[in-house]
Amino acid sequence: MMERDYSIVPRGEFGFINLLRGPAALLVVYSHFVGQYLGWIHQTYWLKRWVDALFVQPLVIVDQFGQLGVMVFFLISGFIITHVARSENPLRFCIRRVFRIYPAYWLVVFAVFAFGLFDSPFDYSALQNWRNVLRIATITNYLHDPQNTVLGVAWTLQIEVMFYALIACVTPLIRRSPLLTLGVELAFVFVVMATAHGAGADWFLFAANVDYLPYLLIGQAIYFYWAGGLPGWQALVLGLLAYCAAVFGIWHIQTAFLDPAHSRSWAWYWHLEYSYGR
């Protein structure tokens, strides 16, 4: 790869990122409208049978490629948002991210309420409490128990918002020291996940969402290497540490993913065959 001067922020489009967005979007579309949908209505189709036999079953693909597509989008976001943060001050960065996420989210939430398009029954009595209304409006309802879910798939937006907040806090470090940036972020992720069970249900939900941040940090490590901020070996080590953080979160928080039939990352061979062959 051509060496870059990290003090210079590259301009222009990232063509290779667009090449990833297309397949990732198709994986999510396939998951919702073919893979999972046909299972919900107890029907099948030759394409689904072929894909299941060649990919889903042998590779233990979760959610009919839906999770894979989402994780690719997280990697892309970690790359792109880190690049954007280098050329914007924290205030401008936050304002632009708010307008990028919330207007479209509010429109969809309004449509869900107007037409009753809930993924599961919604407790309308929750709207009598202004705190619940504020949490739904800011997508922070996923961090509180009960979550009062209006739009099931909006959990991915919650992860993005958390990453934006993290980036806004470390923007000065991003410009000066990519190594220190990832070190601080990984320390934050590990501390939050390690204390997941010690401070109540809300903190546990917060930690469960933080468990997804390592995927964005892997994308960030790739960006730092691409932009010349980290040598290849440092980016690789930090990327592996981020992956270890994700595995730790699965083992410590998202324990349902330890089931081989629900494997998302194989969790280091199901955490060494579920704690040394237990």
Side-chain angles (χ1 to χ4, degrees):
M1 186 189 77
M2 179 183 66
E3 291 189 6
R4 298 180 184 273
D5 182 356
Y6 188 71
S7 64
I8 301 174
V9 181
R11 302 293 181 182
E13 293 287 334
F14 301 105
F16 60 94
I17 292 294
N18 292 329
L19 291 176
L20 286 175
R21 280 192 176 121
L26 290 175
L27 289 176
V28 174
V29 169
Y30 174 85
S31 171
H32 284 286
F33 293 102
V34 178
Q36 295 186 55
Y37 174 72
L38 291 179
W40 294 335
I41 63 174
H42 305 291
Q43 294 186 18
T44 188
Y45 183 62
W46 68 267
L47 175 61
K48 184 178 185 302
R49 290 195 299 268
W50 181 75
V51 172
D52 286 351
L54 289 181
F55 302 104
V56 174
Q57 295 169 2
L59 299 177
V60 198
I61 300 296
V62 174
D63 293 335
Q64 294 287 327
F65 296 98
Q67 282 278 354
L68 178 59
V70 169
M71 296 309 146
V72 172
F73 276 120
F74 283 163
L75 288 173
I76 292 172
S77 184
F79 187 103
I80 293 293
I81 296 303
T82 304
H83 174 74
V84 170
R86 291 182 63 197
S87 56
E88 297 180 352
N89 63 56
L91 179 60
R92 179 181 175 84
F93 175 84
C94 292
I95 291 174
R96 294 189 67 176
R97 301 289 78 73
V98 166
F99 280 97
R100 187 177 184 87
I101 292 287
Y102 284 104
Y105 167 74
W106 291 331
L107 180 63
V108 174
V109 167
F110 175 79
V112 168
F113 275 110
F115 298 101
L117 302 175
F118 299 97
D119 294 333
S120 58
F122 179 78
D123 182 9
Y124 281 92
S125 64
L127 300 180
Q128 297 174 8
N129 187 320
W130 67 269
R131 291 184 179 86
N132 291 332
V133 174
L134 182 61
R135 289 166 183 168
I136 292 171
T138 56
I139 329 180
T140 57
N141 52 309
Y142 292 90
L143 307 179
H144 296 275
D145 182 37
Q147 293 181 316
N148 296 317
T149 302
V150 176
L151 187 62
V153 295
W155 69 270
T156 59
L157 296 180
Q158 171 58 47
I159 306 302
E160 291 286 348
V161 170
M162 292 176 67
F163 184 64
Y164 296 161
L166 181 61
I167 290 293
C169 292
V170 300
T171 294
L173 290 179
I174 289 176
R175 295 169 180 169
R176 294 198 305 265
S177 175
L179 180 61
L180 184 57
T181 299
L182 274 166
V184 168
E185 291 169 335
L186 286 169
F188 166 76
V189 168
F190 273 111
V191 168
V192 170
M193 292 194 299
T195 59
H197 297 282
D202 287 357
W203 184 255
F204 179 84
L205 288 173
F206 177 69
N209 281 271
V210 167
D211 180 34
Y212 287 91
L213 291 182
Y215 299 101
L216 293 102
L217 297 185
I218 293 173
Q220 187 178 76
I222 295 171
Y223 172 78
F224 284 144
Y225 167 67
W226 176 86
L230 290 175
W233 71 270
Q234 287 186 0
L236 179 61
V237 169
L238 290 166
L240 288 174
L241 285 174
Y243 175 75
C244 290
V247 172
F248 174 69
I250 291 173
W251 171 72
H252 191 58
I253 301 172
Q254 313 267 16
T255 54
F257 293 131
L258 287 171
D259 182 351
H262 202 337
S263 176
R264 185 176 58 194
S265 63
W266 280 50
W268 269 0
Y269 195 62
W270 314 319
H271 186 55
L272 299 182
E273 291 189 297
Y274 219 35
S275 297
Y276 314 102
R278 182 174 61 189

